[in-house]
Amino acid sequence: MKLDLIFTGVGGQGVVVLSDIFCEAAMLDGFDVAKAEIHGMAQRGGSISAHVRVGEKVLSPLIETGKAEVVVGFEVLETARAMTMLKQKGTVVVNTKYIPPGGELSGSGKAYSVESLLELIRKKALKVHEVDGIALASKLGNLLVVNTILLGAVSALPEVPIKIGSFQQAIAGRLKEKYIQLNLRAFQLGRESVLSR
């Protein structure tokens, strides 16, 4: 078994924390795991991605261009940018949230539409799971759980061999006690967003 994933978003969205939890869940199931992070120039608001490789024996943390089985996007523009990493017939889980880049905000850069970015993603992937993380998090009354919703969505993919209990254990081991139940509900909502389609 081998699974290569790219987690991508912008600084401050929880890309590093979420990919850490994913790795911890995989290790709880006895898999070998390697991870590398690539940070943009800005700590908050800049591009960030994490390469996560899971298997029986993993020798390198970096995934070659066009070899990732799954891209997990926290934001739609960064997800579109990461499509070069996805292999043919790969799978994408994308939060439909759009965060305008600095150039767009200042009027010096190009503006994108969410639909045009999603169309680009759909053309490159075999399967695309579009998750409205903001709407789902709103149901729980806390917008900070969007990344846990995405983790739940990823956990429901048939490509991911990690047990649900291992994800739940990794979430509980990483968060303060008062946030665990909320995040476990968010995880379940994310799973249902994929399984209900």
Side-chain angles (χ1 to χ4, degrees):
M1 194 292 296
K2 175 187 83 65
L3 181 63
D4 292 342
L5 306 95
I6 300 289
F7 293 79
T8 187
V10 299
Q13 286 193 293
V15 173
V16 171
V17 172
L18 188 77
S19 55
D20 282 349
I21 292 173
F22 185 94
C23 291
E24 289 168 19
M27 288 188 288
L28 286 169
D29 274 2
F31 290 108
D32 193 20
V33 176
K35 179 185 166 197
E37 298 163 8
I38 301 170
H39 298 255
M41 292 186 66
Q43 287 76 32
R44 184 169 290 277
S47 299
I48 185 167
S49 63
H51 293 213
V52 173
R53 305 190 75 200
V54 177
E56 305 304 325
K57 182 71 178 168
V58 180
L59 300 176
S60 167
L62 293 178
I63 301 167
E64 291 179 53
T65 300
K67 299 290 186 185
E69 279 93 8
V70 178
V71 168
V72 183
F74 288 57
E75 188 274 332
V76 68
L77 177 57
E78 292 305 320
T79 307
R81 287 181 173 153
M83 286 300 95
T84 58
M85 296 302 296
L86 189 69
K87 75 174 191 178
Q88 283 190 330
K89 299 185 179 181
T91 299
V92 174
V93 173
V94 57
N95 180 19
T96 54
K97 169 80 175 166
Y98 174 67
I99 299 175
E104 182 181 335
L105 293 173
S106 69
S108 63
K110 181 178 179 181
Y112 299 91
S113 75
V114 170
E115 188 54 38
S116 67
L117 293 168
L118 288 172
E119 189 59 33
L120 186 152
I121 293 166
R122 292 178 196 125
K123 285 180 182 174
K124 300 269 184 175
L126 179 65
K127 291 179 281 184
V128 180
H129 299 280
E130 297 168 19
V131 179
D132 187 344
I134 299 295
L136 293 175
S138 295
K139 288 182 181 178
L140 297 174
N142 190 325
L143 297 181
L144 297 179
V145 296
V146 169
N147 53 6
T148 310
I149 289 168
L150 290 175
L151 182 65
V154 173
S155 77
L157 299 178
E159 298 92 329
V160 175
I162 302 166
K163 297 180 185 110
I164 296 170
S166 298
F167 280 111
Q168 293 167 332
Q169 187 178 343
I171 290 168
R174 183 69 185 235
L175 302 176
K176 291 181 181 177
E177 180 72 29
K178 63 182 178 180
Y179 299 121
I180 291 174
Q181 289 307 314
L182 172 65
N183 278 275
L184 290 177
R185 290 197 303 274
F187 177 80
Q188 185 59 34
L189 270 183
R191 285 187 58 77
E192 291 167 4
S193 74
V194 169
L195 296 173
S196 64
R197 292 182 184 160

